[in-house]
């Protein structure tokens, strides 16, 4: 993955980091120059939608199979069970942590006031599709409870050498790539500004927002925005409870779970809010950094463009957009996509992955970002993600080794 400073490596979405700004990591962009560029782009006409997913008889047959009850009632439960097993084998107490969180008596989901008023909230059509094998997508507490658990499990597969710390190593690779590209957070009061504001687009339950807060003590406010009221409920609850990391005792199997999978420190600078990252309602020229990591591949290309434009609108002159994403030009992802069955299984849980894979390297997303922002940099963060476009060596081999386990491998095989 490359570090794009967005989940869209970039300039767009390779697994990597992008900073838009002459002195920042992949997808940190100078707002001042970006603003002029965006006006030129808007004058050219409406946004164009990306081409649809690949077609063909074999692909259609696979799609039909994955839309059948066999997928819903057999393959999905098996895949989920495998994820839980991976977590537990790597020292990530999935079941105990989930039980602890679900059982918080003073949490919104146990007081009949959770999830917001579904009838009053309006979601983009693309968002109401199933995601990540959850039939209700991100609009459920089940998905919200398991987001950070699944992320830790995936991290263990990405970096099997580090087991339960794999996600920390994974995100650390993006942090280093961003720093290399020049990502920065100016201290409040500089240039006459009253405060420094960092906005985390698509924050989920706030794991990335909390990480930003820990990394940048000079920021006065860190605002996480997510469309799912369920994810925001869980994130706010975790911040309020500020749990210690869970302790699972081998001596007393009947002991109740007593914490979350990671320790969480309370931080009054953090605010999590439900909202659309394509229409945040924040004032123009009001924030210093927009963080967009592992979000773009979950959006149709047209929606991704609107998110990029919104980031540009709210950034101050000199602000930065950080993007981190999957890089489908990396050998590992290219090989994965060439496997029709495997990629179809991925597409069944990531409905816009084809659009992302086609739109990132093509003219649609990368050139769009370059049109909107100035000073775009891209570099590789891991063997499947990038930031500054130093991803390939002179012999065209990928600059960073792929550490991820293959889909059919277990840690024991590696």
């Amino acid at each position: 993955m490359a570090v794009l400073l967005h989940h869209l490596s970039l300039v767009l979405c390779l697994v990597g980091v992008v900073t838009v700004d002459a002195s920042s990591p992949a997808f940190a962009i100078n707002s001042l120059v970006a603003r002029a560029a965006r006006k030129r782009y808007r004058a050219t006409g409406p946004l164009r939608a990306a081409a649809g997913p690949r077609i063909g008889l074999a692909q259609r047959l696979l799609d039909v199979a994955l839309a059948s009850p066999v997928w819903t009632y057999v393959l999905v439960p098996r895949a989920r069970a495998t994820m839980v097993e991976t977590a537990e084998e790597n020292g990530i107490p999935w079941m105990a942590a989930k039980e602890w969180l679900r059982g918080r008596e003073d949490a919104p989901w146990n007081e009949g006031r959770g999830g917001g008023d579904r009838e009053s909230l309006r979601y983009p059509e693309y968002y109401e599709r199933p995601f990540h094998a959850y039939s209700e997508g991100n609009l459920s507490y089940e998905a919200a409870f398991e987001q950070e658990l699944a992320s830790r499990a995936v991290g263990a597969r990405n970096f099997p050498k580090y087991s339960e710390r794999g996600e920390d190593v994974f995100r650390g690779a993006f942090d280093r790539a961003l720093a290399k590209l020049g990502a920065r957070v100016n201290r409040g009061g500089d240039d006459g500004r009253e405060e420094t504001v960092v906005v985390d687009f698509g924050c989920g339950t706030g794991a990335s927002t909390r990480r930003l807060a820990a990394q940048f003590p000079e920021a006065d406010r860190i605002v996480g925005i997510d469309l799912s009221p369920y994810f925001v409920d869980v994130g706010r609850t975790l911040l309020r409870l500020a749990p210690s990391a869970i302790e699972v005792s081998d001596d007393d199997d009947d002991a109740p779970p007593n914490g979350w999978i990671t320790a969480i420190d309370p931080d009054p600078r953090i605010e999590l809010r439900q909202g659309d990252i394509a229409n945040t309602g924040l004032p123009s020229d009001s924030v210093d950094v927009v963080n967009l990591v592992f979000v773009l591949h979950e959006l149709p290309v047209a929606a991704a463009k609107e998110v990029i434009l919104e980031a540009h609108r709210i950034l101050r002159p000199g602000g930065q957009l950080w993007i981190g994403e999957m890089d489908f030009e990396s050998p590992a992802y290219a090989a994965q996509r060439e496997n029709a069955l495997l990629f179809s299984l991925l597409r069944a849980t990531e409905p816009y992955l084809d659009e992302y894979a086609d739109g990132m390297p093509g003219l649609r997303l990368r050139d769009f970002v370059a049109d909107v922002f100035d000073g775009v940099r891209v570099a590789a963060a891991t063997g499947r993600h990038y930031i500054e476009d130093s991803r390939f060596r002179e012999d065209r081999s990928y600059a960073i080794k792929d550490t991820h386990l293959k889909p059919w491998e277990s840690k024991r095989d590696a």
Side-chain angles (χ1 to χ4, degrees):
M1 285 189 149
V3 176
L4 249 70
L5 290 200
H6 68 142
H7 204 26
L8 154 65
S9 48
L10 195 139
V11 163
L12 255 188
C13 83
L14 299 173
V15 175
V17 174
V18 174
T19 63
V20 187
D21 182 323
S23 63
S24 51
F27 251 88
I29 296 175
N30 181 296
S31 289
L32 193 58
V33 179
R35 182 171 301 107
R38 182 183 58 172
K39 289 180 179 177
R40 289 198 300 272
Y41 179 84
R42 281 193 177 285
T44 64
L47 301 179
R48 283 188 303 127
R54 294 174 299 172
I55 59 175
L57 178 58
Q59 188 65 59
R60 287 199 298 272
L61 290 175
L62 278 172
D63 291 342
V64 169
L66 293 175
S68 72
V70 173
W71 166 252
T72 303
Y73 298 108
V74 179
L75 295 181
V76 167
R78 181 60 257 172
R80 183 184 177 283
T82 299
M83 179 76 77
V84 175
E85 291 168 6
T86 297
E88 299 284 353
E89 289 174 358
N90 283 279
I92 301 165
W94 180 305
M95 299 305 294
K98 184 178 177 181
E99 179 185 345
W100 173 84
L101 181 58
R102 190 198 297 275
R104 298 305 88 200
E105 294 182 358
D106 58 348
W109 48 89
N110 287 326
E111 294 186 341
R113 56 180 175 84
D117 182 357
R118 258 310 272 282
E119 299 304 317
S120 68
L121 296 175
R122 294 291 178 265
Y123 305 100
E125 183 178 354
Y126 76 81
Y127 195 73
E128 297 186 293
R129 295 183 60 177
F131 274 90
H132 304 150
Y134 297 102
S135 61
E136 294 183 292
N138 294 329
L139 297 174
S140 71
Y141 277 124
E142 190 70 13
F145 291 151
E146 295 187 341
Q147 186 197 36
E148 294 187 27
L149 302 172
S151 184
R152 301 296 290 187
V154 170
R157 288 191 63 83
N158 288 345
F159 291 88
K161 176 181 177 181
Y162 298 94
S163 298
E164 76 278 4
R165 296 194 301 110
E167 185 190 19
D168 300 324
V169 175
F170 175 71
R171 291 186 179 273
F174 282 79
D175 297 341
R176 289 189 295 276
L178 284 173
K180 173 185 175 183
L181 293 175
R184 67 183 184 276
V185 173
N186 295 323
R187 187 174 299 279
D190 292 351
D191 302 323
R193 291 176 292 104
E194 294 183 358
E195 62 178 3
T196 296
V197 181
V198 175
V199 178
D200 188 17
F201 274 11
C203 66
T205 57
S208 56
T209 318
R210 301 192 301 266
R211 187 178 182 89
L212 288 169
Q215 286 179 290
F216 299 105
E218 62 270 36
D220 297 296
R221 294 173 57 213
I222 303 94
V223 181
I225 303 175
D226 201 273
L227 259 175
S228 172
Y230 303 93
F231 281 56
V232 172
D233 270 354
V234 168
R236 289 172 175 169
T237 299
L238 287 172
L239 281 170
R240 177 175 57 80
L241 294 174
S244 301
I246 198 168
E247 296 180 7
V248 180
S249 173
D250 293 330
D251 299 327
D252 184 2
D253 293 338
D254 295 327
N258 59 350
W260 189 230
I261 49 169
T262 56
I264 296 177
D265 295 323
D267 192 327
R269 298 175 302 150
I270 297 176
E271 174 192 353
L272 301 182
R273 60 172 69 171
Q274 190 276 334
D276 188 347
I277 58 175
N279 183 20
T280 63
L282 294 171
S284 298
D285 305 331
S286 64
V287 310
D288 299 272
V289 171
V290 171
N291 187 61
L292 183 60
V293 176
F294 304 138
V295 173
L296 292 179
H297 72 280
E298 299 192 349
L299 305 176
V301 170
K305 290 179 177 180
E306 295 290 356
V307 169
I308 297 299
L309 290 176
E310 178 68 358
H312 178 272
R313 183 189 68 80
I314 65 176
L315 280 167
R316 293 186 173 111
Q320 295 184 343
L321 168 63
W322 301 343
I323 298 175
E325 263 298 344
M326 294 180 287
D327 184 0
F328 275 95
E329 289 184 303
S330 70
Y333 270 125
Q336 191 176 77
R337 198 178 186 208
E338 288 173 359
N339 185 319
L341 177 58
L342 175 59
F343 196 72
S344 293
L345 289 170
L346 292 174
R347 286 173 58 241
T349 65
E350 298 277 5
Y352 304 107
L353 199 57
D354 254 320
E355 281 201 38
Y356 169 84
D358 288 338
M360 274 319 206
L363 298 179
R364 292 178 294 277
L365 282 179
R366 285 194 207 162
D367 283 2
F368 180 78
V369 173
D371 283 344
V372 174
F373 291 97
D374 188 45
V376 175
R377 297 183 178 187
V378 181
T382 77
R384 299 186 183 186
H385 308 75
Y386 76 82
I387 297 188
E388 174 183 10
D389 217 346
S390 54
R391 295 171 294 148
F392 296 92
R393 303 184 182 93
E394 291 185 4
D395 63 1
R396 301 307 295 163
S397 62
Y398 210 65
I400 295 181
K401 180 181 179 181
D402 179 22
T403 64
H404 302 54
L405 291 175
K406 303 299 184 296
W408 56 86
E409 290 182 323
S410 68
K411 184 176 178 180
R412 291 184 295 272
D413 301 326

